[in-house]
Amino acid sequence: MGTEIGYADEGGIADRRRGALWIRVPVKPGTGAPLLDRVHALRQRQAINHLLCRGCGKPNTGGRPDRRHLFFVASEVGQPLAEGEKTTTPPVCDGCALETVLEGPRPRAGYVAALVEYTSPWGVVGIVYSPDTLEPLPGDNGHKLSFVAYDDPRLRWTLACREVVSVHGCTAVDLENLTGLSAA
């Protein structure tokens, strides 16, 4: 039995970061068509770690006087983001959030927004493998993927595909009044 999963030709931070082994994804800027229904592991990791807008890719605090970050995340029950809550969803700038909300009622259904003062690295989402059989283990809540904290012993056996942060200093934002955010 080994001590962790890995690639035979593993090397550098492209493969492993904070002890997590990352899924390899092609990086070919400017080629191909966007796959909007999928999450690109490297882009998600960059956006969540550098607080880049998930829509346009630019830093999302540039025009906001209070320097808070706007998070627009899925919520089945419509409950606002709470202190310390975990998310894989990068922040969004006011312009991209406004554009999304103005597209119609569908983007608002099942989503909540919050202004967040800061985020903390928490862990990853990925496929956890059994140390004994090297077979994938069942994920969280019937999914293939599991949330794994950086201090969890399962991290060594996880193939990560998304970075997870915890949010702090959260203030709920009413999506119906999103147009007034720029003045906040």
Side-chain angles (χ1 to χ4, degrees):
M1 180 169 85
T3 59
E4 63 189 8
I5 60 170
Y7 296 115
D9 62 345
E10 185 178 325
I13 61 170
D15 286 332
R16 195 172 293 274
R17 187 164 186 270
R18 291 188 177 118
L21 181 68
W22 281 85
I23 190 169
R24 290 179 171 171
V25 292
V27 180
K28 299 177 184 177
T31 63
L35 301 172
L36 300 176
D37 62 335
R38 298 192 187 151
V39 176
H40 190 277
L42 179 59
R43 289 188 194 112
Q44 185 272 348
R45 190 169 80 196
Q46 290 170 337
I48 202 101
N49 283 315
H50 300 289
L51 297 170
L52 304 175
C53 173
R54 71 178 195 222
C56 64
K58 296 178 184 173
N60 77 336
T61 58
R64 183 179 296 288
D66 61 11
R67 308 286 296 161
R68 294 184 294 174
H69 311 280
L70 178 62
F71 280 78
F72 189 58
V73 300
S75 173
E76 292 178 14
V77 294
Q79 186 158 345
L81 281 173
E83 182 70 21
E85 191 166 335
K86 282 52 165 194
T87 186
T88 62
T89 303
V92 62
C93 70
D94 293 353
C96 289
L98 185 57
E99 186 176 311
T100 301
V101 169
L102 292 178
E103 287 177 2
R106 289 187 57 88
R108 284 192 293 253
Y111 283 85
V112 295
L115 291 171
V116 173
E117 290 179 21
Y118 68 96
T119 63
S120 297
W122 181 84
V124 298
V125 169
I127 300 171
V128 179
Y129 288 85
S130 165
D132 299 321
T133 65
L134 296 181
E135 294 291 322
L137 296 172
D140 297 340
N141 302 321
H143 298 284
K144 291 173 83 175
L145 306 176
S146 296
F147 278 71
V148 181
Y150 283 124
D151 60 357
D152 188 323
R154 298 177 305 152
L155 185 67
R156 300 177 306 143
W157 299 97
T158 302
L159 181 60
C161 63
R162 295 186 196 116
E163 189 98 29
V164 180
V165 296
S166 58
V167 294
H168 304 278
C170 302
T171 303
V173 173
D174 183 356
L175 291 175
E176 298 299 323
N177 296 322
L178 195 58
T179 55
L181 275 179
S182 298

